[in-house]
């Protein structure tokens, strides 16, 4: 089971799938299962999306809290204040999380219309972002950026989302985010949000799927570092199943 974690930057509080959500009011660490599209028997897929409120000057993230989140110590619906104090004795805190409860990729959500303000963030916010990245890097957890609302910076993309892939304005925005956060350009994924549409748009869906594929590829790369642990757990599980089956036969 892969888990990805979403976090907003600065005063930008929007997830790609919840345009009407006021991220300032999010006070829980929340895990969202992703279901298969089967109409007969939908099943949860082998990954989850985890979400908490974004960064802002009054609500920064402590390095300890970031590590707790990434290492899987925070359970679903855990009351969470990024700048607050979390204790291992608190209800919902896991002292020994399993691998499938840990975070395998971090996705930072950035509003494209606010990219120009990234370089003007307060020293507190920029320092906090670097501190978070230091914790992520220490755990070898990959980071990507979901650059939302790209239609707000490019009229051609607003008319047809497919134009985003050849838009100089979107390309310039990607380059700026890459420079400020110190991430490769291919780790910055442009996204157009569903907002006024009443029907699905194949071009918007294509962007969303490319973003999801990129995130899951990073999850796989991180999980490969735990290959021996995964193989050992799978082997133990298979042996346990065989033993239980033999008991039933006897």
């Amino acid at each position: 089971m892969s888990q990805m974690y979403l976090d907003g930057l600065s005063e930008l509080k929007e997830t790609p799938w919840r345009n009407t959500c006021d991220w300032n009011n999010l006070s829980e660490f929340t895990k969202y299962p992703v279901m298969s599209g089967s109409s007969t028997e939908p099943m949860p897929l082998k990954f989850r999306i985890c979400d908490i409120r974004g960064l802002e000057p009054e609500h920064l993230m402590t390095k300890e809290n970031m590590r707790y989140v990434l290492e899987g110590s925070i359970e679903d619906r855990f009351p969470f204040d990024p700048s607050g104090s979390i204790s291992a004795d608190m209800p919902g805190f896991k002292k020994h999380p399993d691998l499938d409860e840990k975070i395998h990729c971090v996705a930072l959500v950035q509003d494209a219309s606010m990219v120009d303000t990234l370089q003007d963030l307060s020293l507190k916010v920029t320092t906090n972002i670097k501190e978070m990245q230091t914790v992520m890097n220490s755990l070898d957890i990959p980071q990507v950026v979901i650059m939302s609302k790209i239609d707000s910076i490019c009229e051609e993309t607003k008319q047809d989302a497919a134009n985003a892939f050849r838009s100089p304005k979107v390309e310039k925005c990607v380059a700026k985010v890459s420079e400020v956060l110190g991430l490769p350009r291919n780790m910055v994924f442009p996204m157009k949000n569903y907002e006024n549409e009443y029907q699905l748009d194949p071009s918007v869906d294509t962007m969303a799927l490319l973003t999801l594929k990129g995130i899951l590829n990073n999850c796989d790369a991180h999980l490969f570092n735990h290959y021996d642990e995964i193989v050992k757990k799978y082997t133990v599980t298979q042996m346990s199943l065989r033993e239980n089956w033999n008991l039933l036969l006897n």
Side-chain angles (χ1 to χ4, degrees):
M1 172 72 75
S2 296
Q3 293 202 135
M4 62 192 77
Y5 154 63
L6 292 171
D7 184 24
L9 295 177
S10 65
E11 287 88 349
L12 315 177
K13 306 293 177 288
E14 179 179 61
T15 56
W17 65 91
R18 280 206 316 268
N19 292 323
T20 58
C21 174
D22 181 2
W23 207 339
N24 286 316
N25 293 328
L26 288 181
S27 58
E28 293 180 330
F29 174 74
T30 310
K31 297 181 180 182
Y32 296 95
V34 180
M35 307 300 289
S36 69
S38 172
S39 58
T40 55
E41 191 177 356
M43 298 288 290
L45 300 178
K46 296 295 184 180
F47 66 92
R48 287 189 294 255
I49 297 175
C50 305
D51 185 22
I52 62 172
R53 70 185 297 167
L55 296 181
E56 51 189 329
E58 295 77 23
H59 294 280
L60 300 176
M61 174 82 74
T62 68
K63 290 189 289 186
E64 292 77 13
N65 287 354
M66 171 55 68
R67 185 172 290 274
Y68 287 148
V69 169
L70 298 178
E71 292 185 338
S73 296
I74 309 299
E75 289 191 341
D76 187 30
R77 304 293 176 180
F78 187 89
F80 190 80
D81 178 358
S83 58
S85 178
I86 295 178
S87 168
D89 298 324
M90 295 175 66
F93 186 95
K94 298 203 71 171
K95 295 182 180 180
H96 305 290
D98 295 328
L99 181 61
D100 60 359
E101 295 172 306
K102 298 181 179 183
I103 301 297
H104 307 295
C105 181
V106 173
L108 305 169
V109 182
Q110 170 65 53
D111 186 332
S113 66
M114 300 291 288
V115 164
D116 287 337
T117 67
L118 273 177
Q119 293 175 323
D120 299 325
L121 291 176
S122 68
L123 180 59
K124 287 198 303 182
V125 173
T126 54
T127 300
N128 196 221
I129 292 173
K130 294 303 180 184
E131 287 176 345
M132 289 202 310
Q133 289 185 302
T134 298
V135 177
M136 297 172 204
N137 293 336
S138 70
L139 298 172
D140 293 323
I141 296 177
Q143 305 141 50
V144 304
V145 178
I146 300 175
M147 195 172 69
S148 65
K149 293 186 177 181
I150 57 171
D151 51 309
S152 66
I153 63 168
C154 177
E155 186 61 33
E156 290 78 10
T157 299
K158 188 174 184 178
Q159 299 300 322
D160 184 355
N163 292 328
F165 298 104
R166 48 182 175 270
S167 167
K169 293 180 180 179
V170 173
E171 183 180 8
K172 181 180 178 181
C173 205
V174 167
K176 182 169 289 188
V177 171
S178 168
E179 178 184 357
V180 172
L181 295 179
L183 297 174
R185 294 189 186 187
N186 61 357
M187 292 294 106
V188 182
F189 297 97
M191 281 283 297
K192 180 184 182 300
N193 300 56
Y194 277 111
E195 187 174 3
N196 299 319
E197 296 82 358
Y198 292 99
Q199 294 182 337
L200 295 178
D201 182 334
S203 297
V204 176
D205 291 348
T206 297
M207 263 190 287
L209 290 172
L210 286 173
T211 298
L212 181 59
K213 182 180 179 181
I215 293 173
L216 291 177
N217 285 342
N218 278 283
C219 288
D220 284 344
H222 181 254
L223 284 169
F224 189 76
N225 296 332
H226 301 273
Y227 178 79
D228 292 340
E229 181 182 347
I230 295 171
V231 170
K232 181 179 179 181
K233 182 177 181 179
Y234 175 79
T235 303
V236 170
T237 301
Q238 291 295 93
M239 291 176 60
S240 176
L241 288 173
R242 281 197 293 267
E243 290 173 0
N244 291 334
W245 179 249
N246 290 333
L247 287 173
L248 289 173
L249 291 176
N250 293 331

